[in-house]
Amino acid sequence: MRKWLDRLYAASSWLAGACMVGVFLMVALTIASRFFGFSATGSDAYAGYATAGAGFMALAGTLKHGEHIRVTLLLGALKGGAHKAAEVLALAAATLLAGFLAFYSVYLVWQSWEINDISVGIDATPMWIPQIPMALGTVIFFIAFCDELVLELLGRRQAPSQEDAHHE
């Protein structure tokens, strides 16, 4: 299971990178269209979709690598059982919030598909298509928080190192 989860987080990070390449390509297309005098209708919208996709697809990988901002001042002062209880409480709250975010992101995609919601631009993109990376990213983020919570409860979670604390 551990290998599968790690592959999931890595794939999500790679997809975030692919979305960033998509942003670059859309911006380059827009610049080229202005320079060479052709129309690249909708490229700005697609760049925005790819930007959102990159942000959401990167959530799980950054969490698992300890790159999310954490306020460790209180946790650093706690020892033993109080420290573990605070970690479990924080992870449980974050897992719950990530679960709500994932649920409503998936619901938004389903709702957009059901009502045939389209973008307001001339490209008339069905909105459920660019919403998929957001929903997928939030689901993987929720899985990552579940993973962190279970690891903490089992005593297998590795706390962020002191070097990580300096980045916070």
Side-chain angles (χ1 to χ4, degrees):
M1 182 74 152
R2 175 85 268 139
K3 284 183 181 181
W4 186 87
L5 287 172
D6 289 341
R7 285 186 198 135
L8 177 66
Y9 307 140
S12 183
S13 295
W14 277 99
L15 287 171
C19 286
M20 290 303 297
V21 170
V23 172
F24 167 75
L25 292 174
M26 289 299 107
V27 170
L29 177 63
T30 302
I31 292 169
S33 72
R34 290 182 184 156
F35 186 73
F36 294 111
F38 65 91
S39 178
T41 306
S43 61
D44 56 340
Y46 291 117
Y49 300 150
T51 301
F56 283 100
M57 293 305 291
L59 288 172
T62 55
L63 173 68
K64 295 303 287 183
H65 285 96
E67 298 296 327
H68 281 244
I69 296 172
R70 289 175 43 105
V71 180
T72 57
L73 185 61
L74 176 63
L75 285 175
L78 299 174
K79 303 291 180 218
H83 183 269
K84 180 158 180 101
E87 283 281 0
V88 168
L89 183 63
L91 284 168
T95 301
L96 182 66
L97 291 172
F100 280 127
L101 179 63
F103 175 82
Y104 285 107
S105 295
V106 171
Y107 181 73
L108 177 66
V109 173
W110 176 77
Q111 189 177 39
S112 293
W113 176 77
E114 189 167 73
I115 66 171
N116 196 29
D117 189 17
I118 59 171
S119 66
V120 294
I122 197 164
D123 57 308
T125 302
M127 290 307 296
W128 64 271
I129 296 171
Q131 290 168 350
I132 287 174
M134 174 192 67
L136 185 59
T138 59
V139 168
I140 298 170
F141 188 48
F142 171 64
I143 292 168
F145 263 119
C146 290
D147 184 17
E148 288 291 298
L149 180 58
V150 168
L151 289 173
E152 183 66 32
L153 291 170
L154 295 175
R156 293 190 213 158
R157 184 166 172 259
Q158 294 180 357
S161 69
Q162 283 303 104
E163 288 179 8
D164 293 336
H166 294 304
H167 295 296
E168 298 172 13

